[in-house]
C-alpha cells in the first residue's frame, strides 16, 4: 500500500542525498524533486494542496527557481492570491518566464495578452529551436480564440518548420 511505497521513496531519497555531492550535472536535484513530489502525492489523505505546496517549496533551489516550477507553485497557491503574485513577479522577463506567464494568461482567458507576449518570443527566438516551436504552438492556441486566421498562419509555419527539421520527405 501507500506505507510501503512511502518507505521505498524515503530509502531512494536517502540514497540520492548520499550521492548528491558526486553529481556534477544536477540530476540528483531533479531526482530528489521527483521523489518529494511523489511523497506529497501519496499523502495520507489530508490536505494534498498544502502537502504539494510544502513539497514544491522545499525543492532544491536549482529546481525551485525554474519558471515552470514557480508557475506551478503559484497555481497551487491560487493565481489571484498575494503569494502567487509575489512568486510570479520574481520571474523576470526572460523568454522562459514570458512563455510560462503566457500559459497562465491563456488559462485565465486573457488570449490577446498571451498572443502578444508569445508573438514577441517567436519573433526573438532562433528558427528551428524547441523554444520557438513551443511558443508557436502556444501562440496558435491563444490566437485560436481571437484571430483564427492568424492562428492558421502560425500553424502552417509550425508544421512547415517540423517538416523542414527533417521529419518529413523533402520540399
Amino acid at each position: 500500500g501507500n506505507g510501503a511505497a512511502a518507505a521505498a521513496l524515503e530509502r531512494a531519497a536517502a540514497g540520492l542525498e548520499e550521492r548528491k555531492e558526486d553529481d556534477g550535472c544536477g540530476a540528483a536535484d531533479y531526482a530528489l524533486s521527483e521523489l518529494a513530489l511523489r511523497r506529497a502525492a501519496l499523502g495520507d489523505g489530508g490536505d494534498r494542496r498544502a502537502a504539494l505546496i510544502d513539497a514544491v517549496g522545499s525543492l532544491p533551489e536549482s529546481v525551485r527557481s525554474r519558471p515552470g516550477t514557480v508557475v506551478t507553485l503559484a497555481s497551487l497557491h491560487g493565481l489571484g492570491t498575494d503569494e502567487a503574485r509575489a512568486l510570479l513577479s520574481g520571474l523576470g522577463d526572460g523568454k522562459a518566464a514570458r512563455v510560462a506567464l503566457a500559459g497562465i494568461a491563456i488559462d485565465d482567458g486573457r488570449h490577446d495578452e498571451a498572443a502578444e507576449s508569445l508573438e514577441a518570443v517567436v519573433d526573438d527566438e532562433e528558427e528551428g529551436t524547441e523554444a520557438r516551436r513551443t511558443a508557436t504552438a502556444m501562440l496558435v492556441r491563444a490566437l485560436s480564440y481571437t484571430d483564427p486566421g492568424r492562428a492558421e498562419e502560425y500553424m502552417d509555419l509550425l508544421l512547415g518548420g517540423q517538416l523542414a527539421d527533417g521529419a518529413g520527405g523533402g520540399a
Side-chain angles (χ1 to χ4, degrees):
N2 279 355
L9 290 172
E10 289 297 328
R11 285 191 306 277
L16 278 169
E17 282 290 346
E18 290 173 11
R19 292 172 184 83
K20 191 174 172 181
E21 296 293 322
D22 300 331
D23 177 28
C25 66
D29 282 348
Y30 286 93
L32 285 166
S33 299
E34 179 72 22
L35 291 173
L37 295 173
R38 296 267 180 213
R39 282 193 308 255
L42 278 176
D44 58 5
D47 186 354
R48 281 234 170 109
R49 173 175 270 169
L52 287 170
I53 288 171
D54 289 345
V56 173
S58 68
L59 296 177
E61 180 61 27
S62 63
V63 177
R64 195 176 59 244
S65 62
R66 306 286 303 163
T69 307
V70 173
V71 169
T72 299
L73 187 55
S75 180
L76 286 167
H77 278 291
L79 292 174
T81 65
D82 290 339
E83 293 93 344
R85 279 193 282 281
L87 286 164
L88 295 173
S89 70
L91 280 177
D93 61 353
K95 288 178 193 170
R98 291 188 307 191
V99 169
L101 292 172
I104 291 174
I106 291 171
D107 292 344
D108 284 350
R110 296 177 284 130
H111 304 111
D112 288 325
E113 176 186 326
E116 183 179 320
S117 180
L118 290 165
E119 198 162 21
V121 172
V122 168
D123 290 345
D124 290 347
E125 191 61 44
E126 193 173 316
E127 200 166 318
T129 64
E130 183 66 26
R132 185 172 184 175
R133 284 190 292 272
T134 299
T136 303
M138 290 176 65
L139 178 57
V140 168
R141 182 175 167 216
L143 287 172
S144 71
Y145 291 96
T146 59
D147 192 340
R150 282 185 58 220
E152 282 189 38
E153 290 172 18
Y154 278 102
M155 180 60 100
D156 289 344
L157 288 173
L158 184 62
L159 294 175
Q162 286 177 347
L163 292 176
D165 287 343

